[in-house]
Amino acid sequence: MDTDFHDPIAVARAWMTQWCATDYRQPRNNNVERATVYATTAGKTSDLAAGDTTATFLKAIERKLAHRCDQLTAETSRELPSGPDNVIVVLTARRTLLTADQPVQSEHVSTTRAVLRQPDGRWLVDRPLEAIR
């Protein structure tokens, strides 16, 4: 983990890399847990609330579902203002759904997040802005 926590875009990219990929062979919401090192407490809480329920996770296991992500982008929002202690970042990726490790379909995923400067100077990804608009 060589992420520069003093670069909000680098932190957002590292967070998206962990958050985007899922695998039925891992514990429920493991993607959110992996991304925790790059997230605020509020961000993690929000992502867990929006994540897999026991029922959806059991369905993923039954169907052997996983997601792989590539073509990841992270850039400062042109529409929403940033400040000295918060940077609004738009993250996108191509996420491919796999069943039993075979690609089934791909989709474009996008999220807009505030990346907040912490008292120790590190930047961390907060909850999705889409949820509070």
Side-chain angles (χ1 to χ4, degrees):
M1 181 183 345
D2 292 333
T3 302
D4 179 0
F5 280 90
H6 297 289
D7 178 350
I9 299 297
V11 169
R13 285 184 62 80
W15 172 86
M16 183 69 159
T17 299
Q18 297 304 315
W19 174 85
C20 191
T22 65
D23 194 309
Y24 71 96
R25 292 165 285 220
Q26 296 175 347
R28 180 168 65 107
N29 293 317
N30 188 251
N31 61 321
V32 175
E33 296 295 341
R34 284 192 318 264
T36 295
V37 69
Y38 308 108
T40 64
T41 300
K44 177 184 177 180
T45 300
S46 175
D47 289 338
L48 285 172
D52 280 329
T53 64
T54 300
T56 60
F57 183 62
L58 291 174
K59 216 176 264 189
I61 292 170
E62 176 185 314
R63 296 179 182 167
K64 298 181 180 179
L65 300 179
H67 291 99
R68 298 292 174 264
C69 298
D70 61 8
Q71 299 179 10
L72 188 103
T73 66
E75 58 188 26
T76 305
S77 173
R78 294 182 184 146
E79 290 82 32
L80 299 171
S82 293
D85 294 324
N86 71 344
V87 175
I88 308 303
V89 179
V90 178
L91 297 136
T92 63
R94 180 180 68 175
R95 181 163 47 191
T96 301
L97 173 66
L98 301 122
T99 300
D101 295 324
Q102 297 302 309
V104 176
Q105 69 184 41
S106 291
E107 66 180 348
H108 175 82
V109 292
S110 178
T111 185
T112 302
R113 301 281 178 137
V115 183
L116 307 176
R117 187 189 320 261
Q118 304 303 296
D120 64 3
R122 294 177 309 133
W123 291 88
L124 296 176
V125 175
D126 202 38
R127 62 184 186 219
L129 293 178
E130 297 92 345
I132 58 176
R133 279 188 193 174

